[in-house]
Every structure is written in C-alpha cells, then in structure tokens.
Amino acid sequence: MPSPAPSDDILTRPRRHPPMNPPMSTERYNAREAEPRWQKIWDERGIYRTRNDDPRPKYYVLEMFPYPSGRIHIGHGRNYVMGDVVARFKRMKGFNVLHPMGWDAFGLPAENAAIERKTHPREWTYENIATMREQLKLLGLSLDWSREIATCDVDYYGEQQRIFLDFFKGGFVYRRESEVNWDPVDNTVLANEQVIDGRGWRSGALVERRKLAQWFFRISDASDELLAGLDTLERWPEKVRLMQRNWIGRSEGLHVRFALENPAPELPQEIKVYTTRPDTLFGASFLALSPGHPLTETLAATDPALKAFVEECRRGGTSTAEIETQEKMGYDTGLTVAHPLGGPHLPVYVANFVLMEYGTGAIFGCPAHDQRDYDFASKYGLPITPVVLPPDADPASFELDGGPYEGDGTLFHSGFLNGMSVPEAKEAVAARLEGELLGNSAVGERAVNYRLRDWGISRQRYWGCPIPIIHCDACGPVPVPQDQLPVRLPDDVSFDQPGNPLDHHPTWKHVTCPHCGGPARRETDTMDTFVDSSWYFARFASEPGTAPLQKAAADHWLPVDQYIGGIEHAILHLLYSRFFIRTLKKLGRVSIEEPFAGLFTQGMIVHETYKDTAGKWLFPEEVEKRPDGTAVKVGTGEPVTVGAPEKMSKSKRNVVPPEIVADTYGVDCARWFMLADTPPERDSEWTSAGIEGAWRFVQRIWRLVGDTTALAPADTPMPDRFGDEPMALRRASHRLAAQVADDVERLRFNVAVARVHSFANQFGDAIGAARKAGVTPDWAFALREAAAFLVAVVAPMVPHLAEECWAGIGGAGLAAEAGWPEIDPALLVEDTVTLPIQINGKRRGEITVPKEASPGEVEKAVLALELVSQALDGRAPKRIIVVPQRIVNVVA
RNA sequence: GCGGGUGUGGCGGAACUGGUAGACGCGACGGACUCAAAAUCCGUUUCUGGUGACAGAGUGUCGGUUCGAGUCCGACCACCCGCACCA
C-alpha cells in the first residue's frame, strides 16, 4: 500500500549526538539500554499474542499494511505509533486486542528489482520484509507477530485463488476486451505509472492503446449498496465518505430513444441516449456518438473518412491533462433523427468528447445549457436555442452572454413545458416519453447511472497472484479444479526478455483441460495487488497456522474497530475492500458487510529539504544550522539552501532513519514527538528541536517519578484526611486519567500530550511544596498516586519508559499488562467554581462561588462586588445573565 | 469548472453543544545554580500606549444575529485537497 522509499546508506551516515551528556549517568533515563531490554521481556513473555478464545470483549486495531520496498524511515512510523497507542490503551481498558501486521508483498517494484539487480522477486521481497520487520520492532510496537503474513505467501494467495473461483461461480467475475497501454518496442503492457508523457518509461516508445481480454469484478453492480453502506459508516471521516460518494457518482436521468430517419438496412432503427436534463430536450440541436459506439464502428466500415476520424480520436494519451486540453472534435455522419417531442430533426455526429463507458455512449446536445455542447455547437455552426429562462430575465429579450446558462429557471420555447420549473419539466418529459412508443417499447425510460466502472484485475505480470483459470479452445475458460490449487508461481523464471515471464516460461502454462482433457493453456495474467489488500484484515482473524479465511474467526473479529492509514487510499483500497467483503458475505463466507467500522486518515511527516551549492540533495545529518538561521554543510562550511518541508522521500534525502533516532534519543522520544503538537490528521514537521523537546520531557517524567520514590515511602496507606495541596494533586491525577482516556478514544493525541505536560508542571510544583512542608502521610500518598497515574497514562505512548518507571515505583507485573488507573468520580468534581464576570461583554473580574450556588445567589454576590457597583455607578443594571458553572454578564 | 476543507502570537497548535482567546510545547529574552559550560530550576513572552496598577485593539476581510461570536449566518479574499468532457 504506502510505498516507502528505501535508503541505502543509512548505516554509514553521520550521527547527530544528543544535546546533553551521554545518557549513562544514573540520574538519567538510559533509553538505549532500557528499550531493547524491555522489548526482549515483552517478546519472551509473549504478552502481545492474541487468542481468539479470550472471553474479554474484542477490539481490532489495524494500520494499513506496508509495501516491503526496502527500508522504512521515521515518516512511515506515525500511523503505526498511533495504532499502537490505541492498541495499548484498549488493552489497559480490559479489551482483548488484535493488533497484527503483514506485508502487501506482490507488485511491480520486485520485478523491476529483478531486472535491475538480477535478484529474484521472491528473494528481494522476503529480504526487504526481514529488514523492515526489524525496523518496526525497533519502534516497540505491541504487535502480534505470530499472525504476520505476506500476500506473496503461497498459503495466502492460494486462498485468494479459491475466493476468485467462488466469485467466478457466483457470477461476480467476467471477462471482456479492454484497453491497455502497450509498449510496441518492449512488446509489453505498461501500468499507468510506467507511462511518462505518453511514452514507455524504459523504451521511450510512444504508447499505443491495445485491446486485450481481461478479467473484471462486477463492482458496478454493487454501486447502490456501496453508496447506501456509506451512511452506516459513522466513524469514518466525512471527507472520505464524500470522496467515495463522488467516485460512485450516482445520477438519475432518462434513456431516450431517437428514431433514425431512413436508415440503411444494415443500420439500427434508433439511437438511445442517456440524459440528466430531459427538460432541455426542446433545445437539442444534435446527437453525438462516442467514437467507440457500435453504430460508429458500423458506419466507419464503409466510410474511410470516419474511420480516420475515429483513429485520430484514439491517438493521444489517456492522461487527464491531455484529455482536459483536447479540443472538441466532431464528424457529421449525414444521418438524422426525429425529435421525440416533435421538434426539428437533429443531425448525428461522432464526437471525441462522448465517452463509451458512461451511459449509452451517445448523447443529445443542448448547447444553450451545457458548456461542452456549447463549445461543440459553436465550432460546427449548430443552432443554440435557450429553453431555460433565468429567474427575473425577460423572455422577449433574453440572450446568452457568450456561454451556456446552466442554472435554474423557467422553461420557454418548449411547447407544453413552457412555464414549468426545471424539476417540473424533467418530470413532465419523463412521464410523456414513458407513455409513447417507438416500435414496441417506450421512447423514454427512467434510468439511474453510475460513474463507477467495473474493476479490471488482470495484470500481465509475474509477481502477483495467478488467476486460477485454464483456457481451452473447446471449453472456454475453465476453473482450476480445487485439488489442483493453489496454482503456484514457478520459481525458474527469467526477466531477460520483455513481457510477462509467466507467458514465456517453457512449460508452466501448458496444461490439459480439466473438462475435456485436451491441450489447454493456463491464464498467465496475475491479479491486481488491490485484490491482495481487499481481505488481508480478514486473514489476521484466523489463528496462525490455520485456514486463512475462517468464517467464525472473521465474524468474531470483524469489522476492524479502528483502521488507520493514509488519505491516498480513501477511494480505491477502501472501496474495493468494502465490495470484497460484501461479496464474500453473499457467497456465505463471512457474515459482515462493512470491513472497517472506524477509519482514521493520518497526516504525513514532512521534513525540510537541503541542497548544496551544486544543487545536490543533502541528508539532514550533513547539514548544520547556524544561529543566524543560515545553514552550512558539516565539515566543509559550504552554504546550504534550505527548502520548504516536504513529504520524506529517499530521492530528496530528507529522511530520518529510525535506527539513528533510536540510537540517539530512544524510540520513546520519537513516539512522543510523533504524537505531540500537531493534530494527527495533519502533516507534521520533523525537527531536531522537536525531538530534543521530547527527550527533555522523557527525562522529566523519569525525574518526577524518581523524586517521588525518594521522598515518599512505598505502600503508604490512604490517610483519612488530606490537606488542601495534596488534595489538589489528587484531583489533578484523577482528572488527568479521565481526560487522557477521553482524548485517546477520540485519537486526539496532541491534546493528550498537552495534558500530560500540564500535569507534569503541577506535579513538579507539588513535589517542591511537599519538600518544603515536610512529607506528611497525605502528601506521601498523593505523590505516590500521582506517580503511578502518570506512568500508567503515558504507558501507551512511551511504553519502554513506562516499564522502567513502573519497576521503579514497585508496580505489580509489567506496565504493558497493567490496567488503566481507577478513577474516583468524586475527585473529578470541584466544590467551588470560579466564574468570570463580564460587564457589557468585557471581562472585568472573577468570583468564586460554591458549585451548587443558585443563579440568584450568584447574582447577589456579583452585585455586592466593588468592581460591579463602581461600573454601575449607582444605577440599576439593565440585565444580569448568569450561566451556571460558566460566566456572569452584567449589562449596565 | 464542480465538490470539500482550512485560515488563531515569531512557530506547531489549544479553546466541550455560543460563555475568561492564546492551554501545552518550540523558539526568544531575563534570572538562579556553576570557576565556567552543559543539564536543571524560576520568571517574562499577542499587539499598541504607560515605569506602573491599568487602558485600548485583537482569531483572513467586510457585514449581520446575540447580553456575549474564533465558534452561528451572509458576502468576499487566500491557501490546500479531491474529482474532472460522466451528458
């Protein structure tokens, strides 16, 4: 899924040292020593292994699994850390948490690596996985590694083949011709990202469109339910739901059949168009067919000029930028159609802007009320008749001012529609045309259209899940029999020649037909990797070593309670997964419909970029910032240009490897930094000042806890009475636990961090006060409690430090297995409240009253204040507004 | 073009359903400790005027609703994101 950029020379890169003494003295928390030690203990005790038969309520938290591209940098870590905080927090709250990890391991880069470095895609992939697994472990994530999977594991893709065949038998898959990008020099199919400026990325040849038979999933049949399902996804960002809604693109309109006049015998009797503006039918001045329309093809067979025109339309890239700038082009076929409502006869054109894939591949053009039709009609001298009159315009004098009018209004020049509003006219036309016959069926038929197209899953590639079909000349496409599954990828493949290695493998594709026993060929296409990622979250539900997709396990764990990933997957991955799970339900393989109950899209980590005088990108470690704001190259003093913060990427070298952060500050600092300051959905800038701030705070927690254990004896019993100050500290401790729990539930990590900071300030003051006053039993208890609460509250965020502190205060077991602090509700309630006093809306003072004081009592107390009587200057106030617990406003 | 979002100190950002704007952090400045430095601790830090208690202004701009607006409404400006010949 995300495509992390590898960084090759991390281990030789210069290190930045911590801003202080080496963290070795006993005064300081030594993360470098403590972190691996705790990770080993967690690992040995297997505390993050999840069992399906655990009776506690389940909670499934998942981060989008990575593509194993090589190495991760710190920019990739943010979503894993956020997920980890949620997982650890929910464990403390008593849930049986599933928090797994895997690899989106098929895909093109492995084949490119095979070509460039002569390594096998399998080796390259599994080596990358090994590296990245260690890097992720370094982050101290509480993952159940026993459930790890890679989509290129035979077990996984074998199950996927079974699912494909279920889809096939259920009628959710079909095969049809579809266009691909064809590189005529390399004789190979190119992915969209391999086409650069209309040319093959490797050969530089102009890319052609070529038709190939390919497999499709019938996702467009599910348009309506996918759309309706969005309304049930209350814990998804509104933005993502909107993007999916637009992508599905439902529209309501009318199919209208136009009778061809004097058609030649080989031609059809009619042309069917789709329109969402039947109200503008009297303004129609032409019909336009797509170059790919069947009628176009029929006509082109006997009309060389039309054939040339169609070919010209085919040329040119498929990129949106090109389509966007393309001029409207048309070809007059000489045919005409009758107007269904008795208007003038209309010429039939073929036009480059009419899409075959949408609607019926044919339109009627109403130039006065559609920009595209207006452009077209202007170019070809077709009539432009306004039929919708804008509000307040005069029908006698109304003229278009240089463009179409696409707004609302009243119909005119439109026969029986005159005077109607646009919606009324739409309805009237639909009703009229439904009742009229052309041949044996109605001229008009109401229709719903979707923008969503079927999902083409065929890829002419080696490193993907083989499509388990055998092609027989006699029997057609035949499923691979169950006992011959999985269809394994052959290992002995060569990447010496262009094209699909499966296709030119000497033996692999030659098989006998399971049906008739005759000679047959395997399908050599593999599946789109989006198929792999459409059900991996269901695979994690099964215990390791068991069948990959188990109904009971999937029904137990799904839907994912909290899914976390980048916004770039807002449409395809999430929509495909939704379709996949719905289809699996229809096939009886799971019982749920929506795979992800809660979705969160996190922001990226960005970093400044650096260039030397030669324009070469520099790593952050190669750059030294001067106090005057300029930057120079370490060692040489050469000036460095500092660029704006951008997404971390290998090519721009603005990456920070997790190893260096772990070595210098410890990963807890990195985790704290990633959670602090910036709201999690926004991009966050990685800075050395920020990580140093995190380092200081980690040390601060350590000191607060250390000071407490030195001052207050362990196991101090709870005294009957508390002094004001210890009581205030207790209130703060309990409030902290309540508020941070709320913040984490709402994924407001930056706010949670701020609260912890704020509490630390208060805790520090309390320690000072206790020292001064003498550590009485009430102080001792309050301090110990504060330390225990603080450690527990930060445990999800800085788990290693928490363990070290937990051990220091004599906590039972591991912090990772401790529960969330028990909050005494009585301590969350204050008995007095301080209200600000406004005079005429401006804050002029405040008053402290008992919490239960009635508005009348508050009013009396406020009026008694000197600042109020001064402001009133003897007059009676016009009005006093008392908002209980909030504010008092005196209107003088 | 269509749809959506965001605008708050030098910076990242807080502010529950309309109720003390600037929490918390970063940076900066001043001080304590130290032979000195680092670390740590304390204080100041929206702007303007004033030595000062204090006064005035202030959440992109303009207007509105309200006792009270960062928050709600209308118009506009800027930036960001998504989609884009979808009939």
Side-chain angles (χ1 to χ4, degrees), chain A residues 352-375:
Chain A
N352 64 339
F353 67 94
V354 182
L355 305 174
M356 191 57 224
E357 304 84 45
Y358 187 79
T360 62
I363 61 159
F364 81 76
C366 175
H369 303 290
D370 182 283
Q371 183 68 52
R372 295 155 304 176
D373 299 346
Y374 186 90
D375 296 345

Side-chain angles (χ1 to χ4, degrees), chain A residues 50 58-65 79-91 95-102 142-144 235 536-537 540 557-565 595-600 744 747 749:
Chain A
T50 304
K58 72 99 183 178
Y59 194 89
Y60 187 177
V61 55
L62 183 68
E63 302 93 50
M64 291 181 183
F65 68 164
N79 63 329
Y80 305 123
V81 168
M82 289 180 191
D84 195 50
V85 172
V86 173
R88 289 177 180 274
F89 171 73
K90 287 290 178 179
R91 264 187 221 106
F95 288 88
N96 182 35
V97 171
L98 178 59
H99 186 214
M101 180 56 70
S142 63
L143 292 162
D144 180 355
R235 289 173 49 231
Y536 76 104
F537 43 85
F540 286 135
W557 284 110
L558 292 175
V560 175
D561 295 279
Q562 186 63 61
Y563 196 36
I564 303 176
F596 312 117
L599 174 71
F600 185 79
V744 173
L747 308 178
F749 305 113

Side-chain angles (χ1 to χ4, degrees), chain A residues 461-510:
Chain A
R461 301 283 157 204
Y462 165 73
W463 194 232
C465 173
I467 294 175
I469 291 286
I470 290 166
H471 296 285
C472 171
D473 287 337
C475 312
V478 179
V480 172
Q482 286 291 324
D483 61 0
Q484 289 172 32
L485 291 176
V487 177
R488 286 170 183 268
L489 285 171
D491 279 332
D492 53 335
V493 284
S494 85
F495 294 89
D496 298 342
Q497 46 180 316
N500 183 353
L502 290 178
D503 198 31
H504 40 69
H505 189 278
T507 58
W508 186 77
K509 69 175 174 184
H510 301 294

Side-chain angles (χ1 to χ4, degrees), chain A residues 29-40 42 138 661-663 665-669 671 800-801 804:
Chain A
Y29 168 61
N30 183 355
R32 202 187 309 176
E33 180 276 324
E35 288 178 350
R37 177 157 46 81
W38 289 110
Q39 287 177 11
K40 190 157 169 265
W42 296 332
L138 199 64
V661 182
D663 249 32
Y665 300 97
V667 299
D668 279 344
C669 290
R671 293 172 61 112
H800 310 83
L801 172 72
E804 200 74 4

Side-chain angles (χ1 to χ4, degrees), chain A residues 430-630:
Chain A
R432 168 78 65 100
L433 295 183
E434 272 175 331
E436 288 189 9
L437 289 182
L438 178 64
N440 291 324
S441 44
V443 171
E445 187 187 358
R446 289 170 214 258
V448 173
N449 241 296
Y450 299 92
R451 211 189 71 109
L452 182 63
R453 315 275 160 79
D454 278 338
W455 173 13
I457 61 149
S458 294
R459 297 290 182 273
Q460 295 72 32
R461 301 283 157 204
Y462 165 73
W463 194 232
C465 173
I467 294 175
I469 291 286
I470 290 166
H471 296 285
C472 171
D473 287 337
C475 312
V478 179
V480 172
Q482 286 291 324
D483 61 0
Q484 289 172 32
L485 291 176
V487 177
R488 286 170 183 268
L489 285 171
D491 279 332
D492 53 335
V493 284
S494 85
F495 294 89
D496 298 342
Q497 46 180 316
N500 183 353
L502 290 178
D503 198 31
H504 40 69
H505 189 278
T507 58
W508 186 77
K509 69 175 174 184
H510 301 294
V511 290
T512 55
C513 173
H515 233 222
C516 67
R521 304 167 313 281
R522 272 192 200 291
E523 171 71 64
T524 56
D525 284 356
T526 50
M527 293 185 211
D528 179 9
T529 55
F530 273 119
V531 181
D532 309 342
S533 55
S534 289
W535 67 283
Y536 76 104
F537 43 85
R539 199 287 164 242
F540 286 135
S542 312
E543 300 260 13
T546 63
L549 181 61
Q550 289 172 38
K551 190 172 188 182
D555 289 350
H556 173 66
W557 284 110
L558 292 175
V560 175
D561 295 279
Q562 186 63 61
Y563 196 36
I564 303 176
I567 187 73
E568 65 273 21
H569 296 294
I571 298 176
L572 295 184
H573 162 59
L574 292 168
L575 192 63
Y576 290 155
S577 298
R578 294 182 58 221
F579 161 71
F580 217 81
I581 292 305
R582 279 170 184 274
T583 309
L584 286 173
K585 186 189 176 200
K586 288 172 190 161
L587 293 167
R589 300 206 51 176
V590 299
S591 306
I592 49 128
E593 274 186 341
E594 289 289 346
F596 312 117
L599 174 71
F600 185 79
T601 55
Q602 93 286 351
M604 293 181 300
I605 295 187
V606 296
H607 194 288
E608 285 179 335
T609 51
Y610 307 106
K611 266 186 186 175
D612 66 12
T613 44
K616 207 179 110 223
W617 299 105
L618 300 174
F619 287 112
E621 292 82 9
E622 299 175 283
V623 175
E624 189 186 330
K625 292 284 192 71
R626 290 271 178 77
D628 61 3
T630 62

Side-chain angles (χ1 to χ4, degrees), chain A residues 671-680 693-694 697 700-701 704 732 735-737 739-744 747-763 790 793-794 797:
Chain A
R671 293 172 61 112
W672 189 258
F673 176 87
M674 287 191 259
L675 299 165
D677 291 343
T678 307
F697 192 69
R700 181 133 185 254
I701 292 177
L704 289 169
R735 202 164 49 233
L736 173 75
Q739 290 180 327
V740 170
D742 186 51
D743 294 333
V744 173
L747 308 178
R748 292 156 44 93
F749 305 113
N750 58 323
V751 181
V753 163
R755 290 202 209 280
V756 174
H757 267 289
S758 193
F759 177 77
N761 291 342
Q762 196 172 349
F763 191 9
L790 175 61
V793 159
V794 298
M797 302 186 258

